[in-house]
Amino acid sequence: MALGRIASGSTSRRTACANDTLTKGMPMTDPLSQMLAERDWILADGATGTNLFNMGLMAGDAPEFWNVDSPDKIRTLYSGAVDAGSDLFLTNTFGGNASRLKLHDGQDRVRELNRAGAELAREVADASGRTVIVAGSVGPTGDIMAPMGPLTHELAVEMFHEQAEGLKEGGADVLWVETISAPEEYKAASEAAELAGMPWCGTMSFDTAGRTMMGMTSADMARMVEKLTHPPLAFGANCGVGASDLLRTVLGFAAQGTERPVIAKGNAGIPKYVDGHIHYDGTPELMADYAVLARDCGAKIIGGCCGTTPAHLEQMRTALETRPSGARPTLDAITSALGGFSSASDGTGDDVPAGRVTRRRRGRG
């Protein structure tokens, strides 16, 4: 596979990032760590794909090309989240690795497209008048890790590192690894972040009866992150099935007694086909309830994934600011507010109350 050249030692456009140190055993000062230390919760952004499709992106197109070809639309995407109250938003670079871009003959544009996506984000964040974190989105390669598939650890690290350097050059504050299913790929992303000298966060997608597609449970993930030589600043879950399932996963993290900040980025309801298009049935009011429940479940970085628009984020922000913190919710409280789970188990052996299971399909975007 042809990969773009990886330039070691490149620095971020932001002086603050350039002055950060990332040495084993030495603490790092970065904007997200500072915000985590000062805040009880952080509101992340919503969907990328959903909002870009609403702007005219066609199915099968590479969103990352818009970072160069339609920069005003990407500014609009980013501004929508910031104006709705997000403290942190992701760059339009989810599929910006060489393997994914090769599907669009863009494997030699990895650095360019990631740098451009981060530069536009930096511009919007710096113009906001407040501290807003730019998180460089890093999605899965789309390949299966060896020995089951062709993707070796070394190649995965190389691809993630190439993408990380582009995001760093563009001014990202932190790398945001998301929607990962395989622990091997998560570990490769961690190693790449260390090579790039960047702090990172990482989420996995739990969409198969409380497990990732490759069989990881919430308990497995909580244990795994603590064993990494370059662990994430925060870890958690995104996408998956619906908001109820995601919060059950967050409760699974909490049950492990983790002291590392937890991320919850759930879908806005369930995807449904309407007039030939996918729509998510989660209302802004439902996502406001979800945000508060996520906080009470133990999540510190709370956002939305597929189907989440600025209208949802506005209601989530208001709810987090105005509703008092409560006790950790029960499974019954979650399903009463957000709807039933998609499976009877969270993958760790704990069954849900009878009558609380609904059939759901996974959506994207």
Side-chain angles (χ1 to χ4, degrees):
M1 178 179 295
L3 297 175
R5 280 182 281 178
I6 298 175
S8 302
S10 61
T11 58
S12 167
R13 293 171 61 216
R14 299 188 77 197
T15 303
C17 290
N19 290 337
D20 286 341
T21 57
L22 190 61
T23 305
K24 290 182 181 180
M26 182 180 296
M28 175 177 177
T29 300
D30 61 86
L32 180 55
S33 291
Q34 294 174 14
M35 186 176 286
L36 285 167
E38 296 167 358
R39 298 278 300 277
D40 293 329
W41 52 265
I42 293 170
L43 181 65
D45 63 355
T48 297
T50 298
N51 293 305
L52 291 182
F53 285 131
N54 290 340
M55 295 180 198
L57 182 72
M58 301 300 293
D61 289 347
E64 292 76 19
F65 286 1
W66 275 20
N67 295 339
V68 173
D69 299 336
S70 300
D72 286 344
K73 291 183 178 180
I74 301 306
R75 290 188 184 95
T76 298
L77 170 73
Y78 296 157
S79 296
V82 173
D83 292 346
S86 293
D87 303 300
L88 174 154
F89 68 93
L90 277 56
T91 57
N92 177 42
T93 54
F94 176 81
N97 60 70
S99 181
R100 294 286 289 268
L101 288 175
K102 186 177 182 180
L103 300 175
H104 308 277
D105 197 28
Q107 65 269 26
D108 295 325
R109 300 182 64 188
V110 172
R111 290 284 284 268
E112 172 201 0
L113 295 173
N114 282 275
R115 180 173 59 249
E119 285 175 344
L120 293 170
R122 185 78 271 148
E123 175 187 324
V124 170
D126 290 347
S128 68
R130 58 189 177 91
T131 301
V132 177
I133 305 298
V134 172
S137 176
V138 177
T141 64
D143 295 328
I144 302 297
M145 295 288 297
M148 298 175 61
L151 183 62
T152 65
H153 174 79
E154 292 75 17
L155 184 56
V157 172
E158 183 179 2
M159 283 195 285
F160 286 138
H161 182 206
E162 180 182 30
Q163 187 176 8
E165 291 291 353
L167 291 166
K168 181 178 180 180
E169 288 173 358
D173 295 303
V174 60
L175 301 178
W176 191 278
V177 180
E178 56 175 332
T179 326
I180 303 297
S181 295
E184 296 84 3
E185 198 164 26
Y186 196 90
K187 294 172 184 177
S190 169
E191 188 173 326
E194 185 172 20
L195 287 173
M198 289 285 286
W200 70 291
C201 296
T203 59
M204 301 185 84
S205 184
F206 297 81
D207 56 6
T208 310
R211 295 173 179 263
T212 72
M213 183 175 64
M214 302 307 292
M216 287 283 287
T217 68
S218 56
D220 293 334
M221 185 182 187
R223 289 190 290 265
M224 175 183 68
V225 297
E226 300 305 330
K227 296 178 181 178
L228 297 173
T229 57
H230 182 45
L233 298 181
F235 77 101
N238 79 294
C239 200
V241 188
S244 296
D245 289 67
L246 188 131
L247 293 189
R248 184 170 62 175
T249 296
V250 171
L251 288 176
F253 297 142
Q256 297 303 305
T258 182
E259 296 182 1
R260 192 173 300 277
V262 170
I263 300 163
K265 226 167 176 284
N267 293 339
I270 307 303
K272 297 180 178 179
Y273 279 101
V274 180
D275 296 329
H277 299 281
I278 294 178
H279 295 269
Y280 286 79
D281 63 5
T283 64
E285 291 75 20
L286 180 140
M287 290 303 283
D289 292 340
Y290 148 79
V292 172
L293 287 167
R295 179 192 63 194
D296 294 344
C297 282
K300 189 157 187 178
I301 302 178
I302 302 163
C305 201
C306 302
T308 308
T309 68
H312 294 91
L313 294 171
E314 289 178 0
Q315 292 285 342
M316 292 164 67
R317 179 89 196 190
T318 298
L320 288 168
E321 288 180 335
T322 60
R323 299 190 202 178
S325 298
R328 185 159 292 167
T330 63
L331 296 180
D332 268 329
I334 291 172
T335 56
S336 294
L338 305 179
F341 301 116
S342 65
S343 65
S345 173
D346 68 352
T348 63
D350 295 323
D351 292 335
V352 305
R356 293 296 187 185
V357 178
T358 59
R359 295 298 175 192
R360 295 177 173 176
R361 62 180 297 280
R362 183 184 179 191
R364 287 194 53 130

